[in-house]
Amino acid sequence: MRAKGITGAEIDLPWGGIEPSNGTYDFSELDTELANAAKAHITLVPIFWQSGWSGSPASWETDREVTSDGATGVAPAWWGGGQAAYLSYVEKTVRHITHEPGYGGSILDYGFLDAQWDNQGTGGWAATDVDEFHAHYLPDHFHGIAAFNAKYGTTYASFSEVPAAKPGEPLADVYQAFRSWSVEDTYGRMTAAVRKVTDGPLYYYFGGHLANAPSYANNPDTFFSLASRYDVTVIVDAAQSPGLALTFGSLARAYGVKLAQEWTAPDGAAALNAQAAQWVANYGLGLPEGGGEDFFIHDGTDKDVYGYPIYTSWLSTLKSLDGSYPSQPVALYIDVSQGYDNSAGGSLVNVENLITTAWDRDQSGFDIVTSQEIANGRADLSHYRAVLPLNGQDARIAAYASHGGVVLNDDSQLTDYAPAYAQLTSAGALQVVPTVAADGRSAQIVVAEVSSVYPYDGSVVLRTDGLNLKKGAYHVVDGTTGRPLAQSVTNDGGLCVPTKLDSAGLAYWRVVAGPIPRGTPAPLTCPVTSGSAESTVSVTAGAPGEGMQFLGLGQTGHGADGNLTETTQGGTAAVETWTSSQSGAPTSNVYLQVDPSSAVAAAADIDLTVTYWGSAGQGFTAQYDAPGDPYHAAPSVSSAGSGTWETQTVRLSGSQLSEAQNLSADLRLVAKDATQPLIVASVSMSVAKE
């Protein structure tokens, strides 16, 4: 690893292996690992897991969490007696190793893996949790039952009568506030104790996605606020998601906190190369607060075969990035109150995909601002020329508008206030991530082809105003050799570079001062404005797609709603969804992706034709990407229950296909009955004719 430029490695700690009985420690194996790493000039970063990894929790810690539906969880009860034992184990272990050669810092986790209250269900209802809620949280936050009753219109005689309300029940917001506070309080005490024994690097893992906040209480601002206080680097899981990486990069800059980015690899090899390229390119979204890359996990599986060579071959380039992601005075605003104490707040289900879609269409340096970021004094909407609310308009947006702020209605308005730094021939297959030098006179550009199937053949127009470069003449060179690329200046002053990249391709450019040198090849046509002329795309099970593909084939993720299996039905090749009992997800879907350069992808009205097996009670609803709604529903289709193949055509009106759904899909077929498989033989989409 050292020879490839890697300077550190994480090591998973088994709580029970280090503390085989309560209060008895055995550091011998850990000491050996640290010594071996030091000999190789590598530092090790222990990951402290309370639960979810082999050896954690310790076998002697038997108390367990309880979920909102009464099931026994997989992690120790959050407020059980094991909390003090775990925090002591973390502090004593760090104290022991902090001065050893080979030690490179620690990753601090609590709860289930890096997902806090996730217990394969929403945790928080163990008896000790409820006791903490009654005995400490309520008295400390309300200073008397009368104050509580006055706020909530209740008539309780004591705090012990206040229910530990579950989602959907009256006073559920009070208990959600307790669960959110529990994360902040526990991580704060754990970090404070560790900081007393080490000044070495510390890290927090953020697991999951923005949509998980109401369940996990994994509120991003909680971690950034604590990280700012205790000098901790935040590691964002699933950083291959542009929506997540953009959000965390913006928060890192607002809080002044270092950000590391982890790749969460998909099941199966098909998408590994493209996702690895996307993750590598996304690193610049966090600058200047770059805290490193996290290749998790190096275990000899397909991820190592495909992703690891891409990662290691680009390490030197990533290390050379010096500057900041450009920031324009425009913000996308997220109401994150559902994760704290407001079930009536804006839904977080689609915001991550909406951010990705907005950025894919016109790649510009907008900020992401959360409601809690403002509450924490880390952002002020008055500093922005325009704001686009992503999940509803709350009191902060109303106040901003009342003082003359411009509230946008659609992401198509963003470039009126935040000029794009890169304009593409088609959205969805290519992403451009700049790092602008501190003096504003040059920029490093990482270009990534992020489609697992479709190559990019078009152009990239770079705009110096979107890059925040100082006024003047510029040109584009190969980032490694310094040689000018083929390019021309557009009528409105953009730098147009013909760009052709295969799936998972990466390129490194630099924008440097000075006019285009004489002799630089000039393209005949630039920008390229038209993609494929194909007005129909299709995919048939068992055959290569023609401008369209099934997603999720062979995937087996628990809780995933898009797992597909290849099958044969009635002598015909087909794909079938997992049932809800197989996947553990409440819905079953066939996700589909369209070639972003096709005429279908650019069409507003599309005719969708599906051939599926007519099972009694089965059918589907096509949900497709439309402006502001990545899951806009077409009319539902119900099977006649024929026991044969049936074909139905529906119109998708007002579409705007941008790969904004899960799995980077453009549309999905939602099974009418998730308890039985939806079996599909073929799907086609055509530009609708008047």
Short mmCIF file of all heavy atoms in Angstrom, two decimals, residues 607-655:
data_model
loop_
_atom_site.label_atom_id
_atom_site.label_comp_id
_atom_site.label_asym_id
_atom_site.label_seq_id
_atom_site.Cartn_x
_atom_site.Cartn_y
_atom_site.Cartn_z
N ASP A 607 -43.71 7.87 -24.83
CA ASP A 607 -44.60 6.71 -24.75
C ASP A 607 -43.79 5.52 -24.24
O ASP A 607 -42.77 5.15 -24.82
CB ASP A 607 -45.20 6.39 -26.11
CG ASP A 607 -46.26 7.40 -26.52
OD1 ASP A 607 -46.92 7.94 -25.62
OD2 ASP A 607 -46.41 7.65 -27.73
N LEU A 608 -44.26 4.94 -23.13
CA LEU A 608 -43.60 3.80 -22.48
C LEU A 608 -44.40 2.54 -22.75
O LEU A 608 -45.61 2.50 -22.49
CB LEU A 608 -43.51 4.05 -20.97
CG LEU A 608 -43.09 2.87 -20.09
CD1 LEU A 608 -41.61 2.56 -20.28
CD2 LEU A 608 -43.38 3.17 -18.62
N THR A 609 -43.73 1.50 -23.26
CA THR A 609 -44.38 0.22 -23.54
C THR A 609 -43.70 -0.87 -22.73
O THR A 609 -42.47 -1.01 -22.79
CB THR A 609 -44.32 -0.12 -25.04
OG1 THR A 609 -44.97 0.92 -25.78
CG2 THR A 609 -45.02 -1.44 -25.32
N VAL A 610 -44.49 -1.62 -21.97
CA VAL A 610 -43.97 -2.66 -21.08
C VAL A 610 -44.66 -3.98 -21.39
O VAL A 610 -45.90 -4.03 -21.46
CB VAL A 610 -44.20 -2.29 -19.60
CG1 VAL A 610 -43.65 -3.38 -18.68
CG2 VAL A 610 -43.58 -0.94 -19.27
N THR A 611 -43.86 -5.03 -21.58
CA THR A 611 -44.39 -6.39 -21.69
C THR A 611 -44.08 -7.12 -20.39
O THR A 611 -42.91 -7.26 -20.01
CB THR A 611 -43.77 -7.12 -22.89
OG1 THR A 611 -44.12 -6.43 -24.09
CG2 THR A 611 -44.28 -8.55 -22.97
N TYR A 612 -45.15 -7.55 -19.71
CA TYR A 612 -44.99 -8.15 -18.39
C TYR A 612 -45.94 -9.34 -18.25
O TYR A 612 -46.89 -9.50 -19.02
CB TYR A 612 -45.26 -7.11 -17.30
CG TYR A 612 -46.71 -6.69 -17.16
CD1 TYR A 612 -47.48 -7.12 -16.09
CD2 TYR A 612 -47.31 -5.88 -18.12
CE1 TYR A 612 -48.82 -6.76 -15.98
CE2 TYR A 612 -48.63 -5.51 -18.01
CZ TYR A 612 -49.39 -5.95 -16.94
OH TYR A 612 -50.71 -5.61 -16.83
N TRP A 613 -45.66 -10.18 -17.25
CA TRP A 613 -46.45 -11.40 -17.05
C TRP A 613 -47.73 -11.05 -16.29
O TRP A 613 -47.67 -10.41 -15.24
CB TRP A 613 -45.64 -12.44 -16.28
CG TRP A 613 -46.33 -13.78 -16.23
CD1 TRP A 613 -46.98 -14.33 -15.17
CD2 TRP A 613 -46.40 -14.74 -17.28
NE1 TRP A 613 -47.47 -15.56 -15.49
CE2 TRP A 613 -47.12 -15.85 -16.79
CE3 TRP A 613 -45.93 -14.76 -18.60
CZ2 TRP A 613 -47.39 -16.97 -17.58
CZ3 TRP A 613 -46.19 -15.88 -19.39
CH2 TRP A 613 -46.92 -16.97 -18.88
N GLY A 614 -48.86 -11.49 -16.87
CA GLY A 614 -50.16 -11.15 -16.29
C GLY A 614 -50.54 -12.04 -15.13
O GLY A 614 -51.20 -13.07 -15.32
N SER A 615 -50.12 -11.65 -13.93
CA SER A 615 -50.47 -12.39 -12.71
C SER A 615 -51.66 -11.71 -12.04
O SER A 615 -51.77 -10.48 -12.03
CB SER A 615 -49.28 -12.42 -11.74
OG SER A 615 -48.16 -12.99 -12.36
N ALA A 616 -52.52 -12.50 -11.46
CA ALA A 616 -53.69 -11.96 -10.79
C ALA A 616 -53.27 -11.01 -9.67
O ALA A 616 -52.41 -11.34 -8.86
CB ALA A 616 -54.54 -13.09 -10.22
N GLY A 617 -53.85 -9.83 -9.66
CA GLY A 617 -53.55 -8.84 -8.62
C GLY A 617 -52.30 -8.04 -8.86
O GLY A 617 -51.98 -7.13 -8.08
N GLN A 618 -51.58 -8.36 -9.95
CA GLN A 618 -50.33 -7.64 -10.22
C GLN A 618 -50.57 -6.51 -11.22
O GLN A 618 -51.64 -6.39 -11.81
CB GLN A 618 -49.25 -8.61 -10.73
CG GLN A 618 -47.84 -8.05 -10.76
CD GLN A 618 -47.37 -7.46 -9.45
OE1 GLN A 618 -47.81 -6.38 -9.07
NE2 GLN A 618 -46.50 -8.19 -8.75
N GLY A 619 -49.61 -5.70 -11.42
CA GLY A 619 -49.64 -4.55 -12.31
C GLY A 619 -48.49 -3.63 -11.94
O GLY A 619 -47.58 -4.02 -11.19
N PHE A 620 -48.51 -2.41 -12.45
CA PHE A 620 -47.40 -1.51 -12.13
C PHE A 620 -47.85 -0.07 -12.32
O PHE A 620 -48.83 0.24 -13.03
CB PHE A 620 -46.18 -1.79 -13.02
CG PHE A 620 -46.40 -1.56 -14.49
CD1 PHE A 620 -46.20 -0.30 -15.05
CD2 PHE A 620 -46.83 -2.59 -15.32
CE1 PHE A 620 -46.39 -0.08 -16.40
CE2 PHE A 620 -47.04 -2.38 -16.67
CZ PHE A 620 -46.83 -1.12 -17.22
N THR A 621 -47.10 0.81 -11.70
CA THR A 621 -47.20 2.24 -11.94
C THR A 621 -45.83 2.74 -12.37
O THR A 621 -44.84 2.49 -11.68
CB THR A 621 -47.64 3.00 -10.67
OG1 THR A 621 -48.93 2.54 -10.26
CG2 THR A 621 -47.70 4.50 -10.94
N ALA A 622 -45.77 3.38 -13.51
CA ALA A 622 -44.51 3.97 -13.97
C ALA A 622 -44.32 5.31 -13.27
O ALA A 622 -45.17 6.19 -13.36
CB ALA A 622 -44.52 4.14 -15.47
N GLN A 623 -43.20 5.44 -12.56
CA GLN A 623 -42.83 6.71 -11.93
C GLN A 623 -41.56 7.20 -12.62
O GLN A 623 -40.58 6.47 -12.72
CB GLN A 623 -42.61 6.53 -10.44
CG GLN A 623 -43.87 6.17 -9.67
CD GLN A 623 -43.63 6.02 -8.18
OE1 GLN A 623 -42.50 5.85 -7.73
NE2 GLN A 623 -44.70 6.08 -7.41
N TYR A 624 -41.57 8.45 -13.07
CA TYR A 624 -40.48 8.96 -13.89
C TYR A 624 -40.04 10.33 -13.42
O TYR A 624 -40.75 11.03 -12.68
CB TYR A 624 -40.90 9.00 -15.36
CG TYR A 624 -42.13 9.85 -15.64
CD1 TYR A 624 -42.02 11.15 -16.10
CD2 TYR A 624 -43.41 9.33 -15.47
CE1 TYR A 624 -43.13 11.93 -16.37
CE2 TYR A 624 -44.54 10.08 -15.73
CZ TYR A 624 -44.40 11.39 -16.18
OH TYR A 624 -45.51 12.16 -16.44
N ASP A 625 -38.86 10.71 -13.86
CA ASP A 625 -38.26 11.98 -13.45
C ASP A 625 -38.93 13.12 -14.19
O ASP A 625 -38.96 13.15 -15.43
CB ASP A 625 -36.76 11.94 -13.74
CG ASP A 625 -36.01 13.10 -13.12
OD1 ASP A 625 -36.62 13.82 -12.31
OD2 ASP A 625 -34.83 13.27 -13.44
N ALA A 626 -39.47 14.08 -13.42
CA ALA A 626 -40.10 15.28 -13.96
C ALA A 626 -39.58 16.47 -13.17
O ALA A 626 -39.01 16.29 -12.09
CB ALA A 626 -41.62 15.18 -13.86
N PRO A 627 -39.73 17.68 -13.66
CA PRO A 627 -39.20 18.85 -12.94
C PRO A 627 -39.69 18.90 -11.49
O PRO A 627 -40.89 18.94 -11.23
CB PRO A 627 -39.73 20.03 -13.75
CG PRO A 627 -39.87 19.49 -15.14
CD PRO A 627 -40.33 18.07 -14.96
N GLY A 628 -38.75 18.89 -10.55
CA GLY A 628 -39.07 18.97 -9.14
C GLY A 628 -39.66 17.72 -8.54
O GLY A 628 -40.00 17.69 -7.35
N ASP A 629 -39.79 16.65 -9.31
CA ASP A 629 -40.41 15.42 -8.81
C ASP A 629 -39.78 14.22 -9.51
O ASP A 629 -40.18 13.85 -10.61
CB ASP A 629 -41.91 15.44 -9.06
CG ASP A 629 -42.62 14.22 -8.49
OD1 ASP A 629 -41.95 13.39 -7.83
OD2 ASP A 629 -43.84 14.09 -8.72
N PRO A 630 -38.78 13.59 -8.89
CA PRO A 630 -38.13 12.46 -9.54
C PRO A 630 -38.98 11.20 -9.61
O PRO A 630 -38.59 10.23 -10.27
CB PRO A 630 -36.88 12.23 -8.68
CG PRO A 630 -37.22 12.81 -7.36
CD PRO A 630 -38.14 13.95 -7.62
N TYR A 631 -40.14 11.21 -8.94
CA TYR A 631 -41.00 10.02 -8.95
C TYR A 631 -42.42 10.40 -9.37
O TYR A 631 -43.41 9.98 -8.76
CB TYR A 631 -41.00 9.36 -7.57
CG TYR A 631 -39.64 8.84 -7.16
CD1 TYR A 631 -38.82 9.58 -6.32
CD2 TYR A 631 -39.16 7.63 -7.64
CE1 TYR A 631 -37.56 9.12 -5.96
CE2 TYR A 631 -37.91 7.16 -7.28
CZ TYR A 631 -37.11 7.91 -6.44
OH TYR A 631 -35.86 7.44 -6.09
N HIS A 632 -42.53 11.17 -10.43
CA HIS A 632 -43.84 11.58 -10.94
C HIS A 632 -44.55 10.35 -11.52
O HIS A 632 -43.97 9.58 -12.28
CB HIS A 632 -43.68 12.65 -12.00
CG HIS A 632 -44.96 13.30 -12.40
ND1 HIS A 632 -45.63 14.18 -11.58
CD2 HIS A 632 -45.71 13.20 -13.54
CE1 HIS A 632 -46.73 14.59 -12.19
NE2 HIS A 632 -46.79 14.02 -13.38
N ALA A 633 -45.81 10.18 -11.18
CA ALA A 633 -46.51 8.95 -11.52
C ALA A 633 -47.34 9.09 -12.79
O ALA A 633 -48.07 10.07 -12.98
CB ALA A 633 -47.41 8.52 -10.37
N ALA A 634 -47.23 8.10 -13.67
CA ALA A 634 -48.11 7.95 -14.82
C ALA A 634 -49.34 7.15 -14.39
O ALA A 634 -49.38 6.60 -13.28
CB ALA A 634 -47.36 7.24 -15.95
N PRO A 635 -50.35 7.04 -15.23
CA PRO A 635 -51.52 6.22 -14.88
C PRO A 635 -51.12 4.78 -14.58
O PRO A 635 -50.25 4.20 -15.24
CB PRO A 635 -52.39 6.30 -16.14
CG PRO A 635 -52.01 7.61 -16.77
CD PRO A 635 -50.55 7.76 -16.50
N SER A 636 -51.75 4.19 -13.57
CA SER A 636 -51.43 2.82 -13.16
C SER A 636 -51.98 1.81 -14.16
O SER A 636 -52.96 2.06 -14.87
CB SER A 636 -52.00 2.54 -11.78
OG SER A 636 -51.41 3.37 -10.80
N VAL A 637 -51.31 0.67 -14.21
CA VAL A 637 -51.70 -0.44 -15.08
C VAL A 637 -52.02 -1.65 -14.21
O VAL A 637 -51.22 -2.00 -13.33
CB VAL A 637 -50.58 -0.78 -16.08
CG1 VAL A 637 -50.91 -2.06 -16.84
CG2 VAL A 637 -50.34 0.38 -17.03
N SER A 638 -53.16 -2.27 -14.42
CA SER A 638 -53.54 -3.48 -13.68
C SER A 638 -53.62 -4.66 -14.63
O SER A 638 -54.18 -4.55 -15.74
CB SER A 638 -54.89 -3.29 -12.98
OG SER A 638 -54.81 -2.29 -12.00
N SER A 639 -53.07 -5.78 -14.21
CA SER A 639 -53.08 -6.97 -15.04
C SER A 639 -54.48 -7.57 -15.12
O SER A 639 -55.26 -7.50 -14.17
CB SER A 639 -52.11 -8.01 -14.47
OG SER A 639 -52.26 -9.26 -15.11
N ALA A 640 -54.77 -8.19 -16.26
CA ALA A 640 -56.02 -8.93 -16.42
C ALA A 640 -55.94 -10.31 -15.78
O ALA A 640 -56.94 -11.04 -15.77
CB ALA A 640 -56.35 -9.06 -17.91
N GLY A 641 -54.74 -10.66 -15.26
CA GLY A 641 -54.59 -11.97 -14.63
C GLY A 641 -54.67 -13.10 -15.63
O GLY A 641 -55.16 -14.20 -15.32
N SER A 642 -54.14 -12.85 -16.85
CA SER A 642 -54.28 -13.81 -17.95
C SER A 642 -53.38 -15.03 -17.83
O SER A 642 -53.60 -16.04 -18.48
CB SER A 642 -53.99 -13.10 -19.27
OG SER A 642 -52.64 -12.64 -19.29
N GLY A 643 -52.31 -14.91 -17.02
CA GLY A 643 -51.34 -15.99 -16.96
C GLY A 643 -50.51 -16.09 -18.22
O GLY A 643 -49.90 -17.14 -18.50
N THR A 644 -50.48 -15.02 -19.00
CA THR A 644 -49.66 -14.95 -20.21
C THR A 644 -48.99 -13.57 -20.23
O THR A 644 -49.19 -12.75 -19.35
CB THR A 644 -50.52 -15.11 -21.48
OG1 THR A 644 -51.50 -14.06 -21.51
CG2 THR A 644 -51.23 -16.46 -21.49
N TRP A 645 -48.21 -13.33 -21.30
CA TRP A 645 -47.57 -12.03 -21.43
C TRP A 645 -48.60 -10.98 -21.85
O TRP A 645 -49.41 -11.22 -22.75
CB TRP A 645 -46.43 -12.08 -22.45
CG TRP A 645 -45.26 -12.90 -21.97
CD1 TRP A 645 -44.89 -14.13 -22.40
CD2 TRP A 645 -44.35 -12.53 -20.95
NE1 TRP A 645 -43.78 -14.57 -21.72
CE2 TRP A 645 -43.42 -13.60 -20.81
CE3 TRP A 645 -44.20 -11.42 -20.14
CZ2 TRP A 645 -42.38 -13.58 -19.89
CZ3 TRP A 645 -43.17 -11.39 -19.22
CH2 TRP A 645 -42.27 -12.46 -19.10
N GLU A 646 -48.55 -9.84 -21.19
CA GLU A 646 -49.43 -8.72 -21.51
C GLU A 646 -48.57 -7.51 -21.84
O GLU A 646 -47.48 -7.34 -21.27
CB GLU A 646 -50.35 -8.39 -20.33
CG GLU A 646 -51.26 -9.54 -19.94
CD GLU A 646 -52.11 -9.22 -18.71
OE1 GLU A 646 -52.10 -8.05 -18.26
OE2 GLU A 646 -52.77 -10.15 -18.21
N THR A 647 -49.03 -6.67 -22.75
CA THR A 647 -48.30 -5.46 -23.14
C THR A 647 -49.19 -4.24 -22.96
O THR A 647 -50.35 -4.24 -23.39
CB THR A 647 -47.84 -5.55 -24.61
OG1 THR A 647 -46.97 -6.69 -24.76
CG2 THR A 647 -47.09 -4.29 -25.02
N GLN A 648 -48.63 -3.23 -22.30
CA GLN A 648 -49.37 -1.99 -22.06
C GLN A 648 -48.49 -0.80 -22.41
O GLN A 648 -47.27 -0.82 -22.20
CB GLN A 648 -49.79 -1.89 -20.59
CG GLN A 648 -50.86 -2.87 -20.17
CD GLN A 648 -52.24 -2.46 -20.65
OE1 GLN A 648 -52.43 -1.35 -21.14
NE2 GLN A 648 -53.21 -3.36 -20.53
N THR A 649 -49.11 0.26 -22.94
CA THR A 649 -48.41 1.50 -23.26
C THR A 649 -49.04 2.65 -22.48
O THR A 649 -50.28 2.76 -22.43
CB THR A 649 -48.48 1.81 -24.76
OG1 THR A 649 -47.82 0.77 -25.48
CG2 THR A 649 -47.80 3.15 -25.08
N VAL A 650 -48.21 3.47 -21.84
CA VAL A 650 -48.69 4.64 -21.11
C VAL A 650 -47.87 5.86 -21.54
O VAL A 650 -46.73 5.74 -21.97
CB VAL A 650 -48.59 4.46 -19.57
CG1 VAL A 650 -49.51 3.34 -19.10
CG2 VAL A 650 -47.16 4.18 -19.14
N ARG A 651 -48.47 7.02 -21.42
CA ARG A 651 -47.81 8.27 -21.78
C ARG A 651 -47.14 8.88 -20.55
O ARG A 651 -47.77 9.01 -19.50
CB ARG A 651 -48.83 9.24 -22.38
CG ARG A 651 -48.34 10.65 -22.69
CD ARG A 651 -47.31 10.70 -23.81
NE ARG A 651 -47.76 10.16 -25.07
CZ ARG A 651 -48.39 10.85 -26.03
NH1 ARG A 651 -48.63 12.14 -25.86
NH2 ARG A 651 -48.74 10.28 -27.16
N LEU A 652 -45.87 9.25 -20.68
CA LEU A 652 -45.15 9.98 -19.64
C LEU A 652 -45.10 11.44 -20.07
O LEU A 652 -44.34 11.80 -20.98
CB LEU A 652 -43.73 9.43 -19.46
CG LEU A 652 -43.58 7.90 -19.32
CD1 LEU A 652 -42.12 7.54 -19.08
CD2 LEU A 652 -44.46 7.35 -18.22
N SER A 653 -45.90 12.27 -19.44
CA SER A 653 -46.03 13.68 -19.85
C SER A 653 -45.18 14.58 -18.96
O SER A 653 -45.13 14.40 -17.75
CB SER A 653 -47.49 14.11 -19.78
OG SER A 653 -48.30 13.32 -20.64
N GLY A 654 -44.53 15.55 -19.58
CA GLY A 654 -43.75 16.51 -18.82
C GLY A 654 -42.51 15.91 -18.18
O GLY A 654 -42.11 16.32 -17.09
N SER A 655 -41.89 14.97 -18.86
CA SER A 655 -40.72 14.31 -18.28
C SER A 655 -39.47 15.18 -18.40
O SER A 655 -39.39 16.07 -19.25
CB SER A 655 -40.47 12.96 -18.97
OG SER A 655 -40.12 13.17 -20.33
#
